[in-house]
Amino acid sequence: MSIFQVINTSASALTAQRVRMDVISSNMANMDSTRGKLVDGEWQPYRRKIVVTQPQGDQFSSFLNKAMGSSDADGVKVTEIVEDETPFELIYDPDHPDANEEGYVAMPNVDPLKEMVDLISSTRSYEANVTAMNATKGMLMKALEIGK
């Protein structure tokens, strides 16, 4: 594995974690949005979104390296952002403009506790990758000093 590939691996992880943090902040911002999407003329609450990632090793060179016994890591990429299909929570609030005939309002399936746990996990992963990238940069700088 070359030294620049280590930096590329950390950079791909930083990008994936940034997307994950953006989606989490969007979920938190819409946790009370009862009009998230218009379906068949009726408003549905906002659905929680989840980032799906996978290793970037779907290129020919990565398969060739694996077949030859090399263990080059290619990093990670965001493949899609999917909606969480857990059911909406019904809350009794007859004065709400989106209440049904019985007075219940369907609220988004966003759990702020779950979002905070995901945000902390994403932040820690981001910090770990920044640390790895800085360590790699430090090694490169020391290698350049050897040549002086």
Side-chain angles (χ1 to χ4, degrees):
M1 175 181 284
S2 74
I3 195 82
F4 295 111
Q5 191 168 2
V6 173
I7 291 175
N8 287 337
T9 300
S10 293
S12 70
L14 290 174
T15 302
Q17 294 305 323
R18 184 190 51 81
V19 170
R20 194 169 159 213
M21 285 189 264
D22 288 346
V23 168
I24 291 169
S25 66
S26 173
N27 287 341
M28 292 292 283
N30 288 299
M31 64 183 280
D32 291 326
S33 298
T34 56
R35 296 183 179 188
K37 186 189 302 183
L38 189 62
V39 177
D40 296 332
E42 290 192 24
W43 286 103
Q44 286 191 346
Y46 176 81
R47 282 206 176 270
R48 178 178 183 248
K49 298 198 175 20
I50 303 169
V51 174
V52 178
T53 58
Q54 74 176 32
Q56 281 187 346
D58 59 349
Q59 299 161 347
F60 177 74
S61 62
S62 66
F63 288 116
L64 181 63
N65 287 335
K66 284 179 188 173
M68 294 175 60
S70 176
S71 62
D72 285 346
D74 293 331
V76 66
K77 67 179 178 182
V78 174
T79 55
E80 62 183 331
I81 297 172
V82 297
E83 290 185 342
D84 187 1
E85 294 299 326
T86 56
F88 299 120
E89 182 181 359
L90 293 176
I91 294 178
Y92 184 71
D93 186 5
D95 296 331
H96 196 282
D98 293 327
N100 61 13
E101 298 84 27
E102 297 153 357
Y104 286 98
V105 179
M107 297 301 287
N109 57 356
V110 177
D111 181 10
L113 185 62
K114 192 184 298 183
E115 298 300 322
M116 287 306 295
V117 169
D118 285 349
L119 182 62
I120 290 170
S121 169
S122 179
T123 303
R124 296 287 186 242
S125 178
Y126 192 91
E127 290 171 353
N129 281 292
V130 167
T131 302
M133 187 177 285
N134 284 335
T136 304
K137 187 175 83 178
M139 287 191 300
L140 284 172
M141 295 304 289
K142 291 292 182 186
L144 288 175
E145 288 177 9
I146 292 173
K148 287 185 180 178

